[in-house]
Amino acid sequence: MGSLLWLISLSSLALKSALGGDVCVSGHDSGPVFEEQPTSLVYPEGLSQGKVTLSCQARASPAATYRWRVNGTEVQVGMESRYALVAGNLVINSPQPARDAGSYQCLAVNRCGAIVSRAANIKFGCEPPRLPPDARSPQTAYEGVGTFLACQPPTHYPALSYRWFLNEFPSFIQPEDGRWFVSQVTGNLYLAKAEPNDTGSYFCFTTINMEISTKSTFKSMHLTTRRYQDHDKETVLSLFSHGIEEHIWPSVQNAMSSPLSLGFTLGLGITGYLLASGLGALVLVSGWAGLVYYCCHKLYTEFVRDKLQTDMQDIVASYMSQPDDGFWVAETAGEGKVVGMVAVVAKKNGAERYGELFRMNISPSMRRVGLGSRLTQTVLDFCKQRGMTKVVLETSSSQTAGIALYQKMGFKH
Ligand SMILES: *[C@@H]1O[C@H](CO)[C@@H](O)[C@H](O)[C@H]1NC(C)=O
Ligand SMILES: *[C@@H]1O[C@H](CO)[C@@H](O)[C@H](O)[C@H]1NC(C)=O
């Protein structure tokens, strides 16, 4: 498995500077929480001027920084002049269907965490109905009686909200002035008292509200790290097993792509071809791949089985009975769901005391939000407090994400 040994020297642990002072101070700082999230909208196709604003505001201490993604790719706000970031809001000038249609998400980040907003879709619709000027003639309105313009929205979009603008986008009619009323049921524009200067071209502007996606895409990073408790056992064991089993495929790929193995595979293919035919080659090569998969699978599942019967059988006894050992879980603040874990065991080498980090595992749904750094930090703080000089950990070279994290946290190879 090609284990590597990673070391960190706590005495020279200039962690603050290594992380740019990016350490969340519990009780003082707080992670971002959305106050405003973007909503989906339909932009009238054919409008050459104009702009779209997607809202994003988050409460956070220290203040959050914002990034945007379209279809999962980062929006290059600084690079393209048609984008502007106003506070957290993304403004797109002169939006065009070919470039700007897509699913947008806002990311709010501070040193305590990151949150991802719901997805808001920008779609381009046909130009809203332009009513001929004679569709409404000047008329005398009596108290409570007025005129109205029908919006005739496109029927295939659900849950529209309606606004009207007069002559030019985006000079929206403000219903607040009392003379106007826009029905959010039909989209119709009602005018209580028509005046001669109301003559003009009226446009109905429709917006889709797709609140449905809110729940599934909202990821809150309000996590607490705490000591393991007995009632966490089931979740922790399942997190552990799944985390280890995830390594099966990467290790099969690793094994199959080594030069020796590639040579062997090629040799088998040629032998099979010479002995039988193309089918013979296929049978031998897939038999070989199957064998590699079987071995890797066995190796990891046996590792899991072995650990479930030893240290993970009684986590409290294995990791929490000595004052210098520890086992922590990270749980989501709202639901109290355990989504990550880490353990440390104190070791001795002559007079030197150091900690060994074990069982780092993060639920797949919570990766890439800085949880790994936080769990590692918990261990580093703990070991430092107890006067240990370094923390070591073993990892396999196929765990590239883990290695990148540990390097970022100051571990040396
Ligand atoms: C985003 O994906 C949609 C649907 O696949 C596509 O129509 C649109 O052009 C994409 N937008 C961008 C900016 O990549
Ligand atoms: C239209 O005329 C009324 C008075 O008749 C005035 O109060 C209002 O401001 C005018 N509106 C515009 C857009 O000029």
Side-chain angles (χ1 to χ4, degrees):
M1 243 187 293
S3 285
L4 306 170
L5 195 62
W6 298 73
L7 298 173
I8 188 167
S9 179
L10 278 181
S11 50
S12 65
L13 187 79
L15 246 178
K16 289 239 168 188
S17 63
L19 297 174
D22 264 3
V23 181
C24 182
V25 183
S26 63
H28 176 262
D29 295 345
S30 59
V33 180
F34 281 118
E35 288 182 326
E36 223 178 298
Q37 296 193 53
T39 37
S40 297
L41 58 91
V42 178
Y43 190 81
E45 209 162 3
L47 273 182
S48 53
Q49 299 300 311
K51 57 188 177 185
V52 164
T53 301
L54 292 167
S55 324
C56 181
Q57 294 303 323
R59 198 165 3 100
S61 169
T65 56
Y66 298 89
R67 299 206 302 265
W68 284 84
R69 287 183 191 151
V70 54
N71 289 1
T73 315
E74 182 113 7
V75 174
Q76 303 296 329
V77 176
M79 314 277 278
E80 290 181 48
S81 58
R82 64 205 182 81
Y83 293 124
L85 197 59
V86 180
N89 302 345
L90 178 69
V91 180
I92 306 173
N93 287 302
S94 308
Q96 280 171 21
R99 297 186 305 216
D100 300 313
S103 169
Y104 288 76
Q105 274 180 300
C106 158
L107 264 88
V109 185
N110 78 355
R111 62 190 178 207
C112 294
I115 48 176
V116 182
S117 75
R118 69 180 170 222
N121 296 310
I122 296 189
K123 286 189 185 178
F124 288 78
C126 353
E127 192 169 344
R130 187 188 278 265
L131 296 171
D134 61 1
R136 55 175 292 278
S137 44
Q139 53 186 280
T140 316
Y142 301 97
E143 190 73 19
V145 182
T147 184
F148 77 92
L149 304 177
C151 179
Q152 296 163 326
T155 50
H156 50 284
Y157 294 130
L160 294 166
S161 74
Y162 304 92
R163 284 189 289 171
W164 284 78
F165 61 93
L166 178 57
N167 297 330
E168 258 178 73
F169 183 86
S171 58
F172 286 106
I173 289 168
Q174 304 294 323
E176 297 88 65
D177 88 357
R179 297 198 310 131
W180 303 100
F181 172 74
V182 178
S183 162
Q184 294 303 321
V185 177
T186 58
N188 295 347
L189 174 72
Y190 294 85
L191 175 56
K193 215 192 227 178
E195 281 161 12
N197 62 7
D198 289 327
T199 311
S201 302
Y202 287 78
F203 300 86
C204 175
F205 186 83
T206 53
T207 307
I208 305 185
N209 293 315
M210 291 184 197
E211 307 288 335
I212 319 110
S213 63
T214 308
K215 283 276 163 356
S216 58
T217 54
F218 184 81
K219 248 195 237 170
S220 170
M221 249 298 288
H222 286 262
L223 295 161
T224 44
T225 311
R226 59 166 174 79
R227 305 273 287 181
Y228 168 86
Q229 287 162 11
D230 272 330
H231 63 80
D232 300 324
K233 184 162 182 180
E234 202 179 317
T235 330
V236 162
L237 291 187
S238 121
L239 204 58
F240 168 71
S241 313
H242 288 120
I244 298 292
E245 280 155 15
E246 263 176 50
H247 297 313
I248 295 176
W249 264 115
S251 70
V252 171
Q253 284 164 1
N254 241 7
M256 291 299 288
S257 60
S258 74
L260 188 67
S261 164
L262 282 179
F264 187 66
T265 310
L266 188 67
L268 271 183
I270 293 171
T271 312
Y273 187 75
L274 292 179
L275 288 180
S277 61
L279 186 65
L282 191 68
V283 169
L284 276 185
V285 168
S286 47
W288 161 238
L291 186 68
V292 171
Y293 178 79
Y294 173 78
C295 289
C296 290
H297 188 271
K298 200 166 160 61
L299 191 72
Y300 282 102
T301 45
E302 275 185 1
F303 176 81
V304 170
R305 194 177 328 137
D306 176 56
K307 296 301 166 195
L308 290 183
Q309 284 165 5
T310 53
D311 64 315
M312 299 299 278
Q313 162 99 342
D314 190 345
I315 294 172
V316 173
S318 317
Y319 294 105
M320 297 173 78
S321 56
Q322 304 296 319
D324 289 349
D325 298 349
F327 199 106
W328 294 265
V329 296
E331 69 175 5
T332 54
E335 312 155 290
K337 204 174 132 211
V338 171
V339 291
M341 63 200 235
V342 71
V344 70
V345 174
K347 297 269 170 86
K348 250 196 184 126
N349 181 12
E352 186 187 40
R353 284 165 64 246
Y354 63 93
E356 182 162 0
L357 189 147
F358 285 102
R359 308 279 169 263
M360 165 72 87
N361 235 301
I362 291 161
S363 159
S365 64
M366 296 303 289
R367 295 196 183 144
R368 299 180 182 281
V369 290
L371 183 52
S373 311
R374 273 176 73 175
L375 285 170
T376 310
Q377 189 65 52
T378 305
V379 168
L380 294 179
D381 290 346
F382 175 84
C383 291
K384 203 174 172 187
Q385 258 174 25
R386 278 167 177 69
M388 293 186 224
T389 50
K390 65 182 184 186
V391 174
V392 307
L393 66 92
E394 265 183 52
T395 184
S396 89
S397 52
S398 62
Q399 288 171 261
T400 44
I403 291 171
L405 162 73
Y406 298 133
Q407 275 172 333
K408 185 179 140 214
M409 298 296 290
F411 282 81
K412 291 194 184 62
H413 185 173

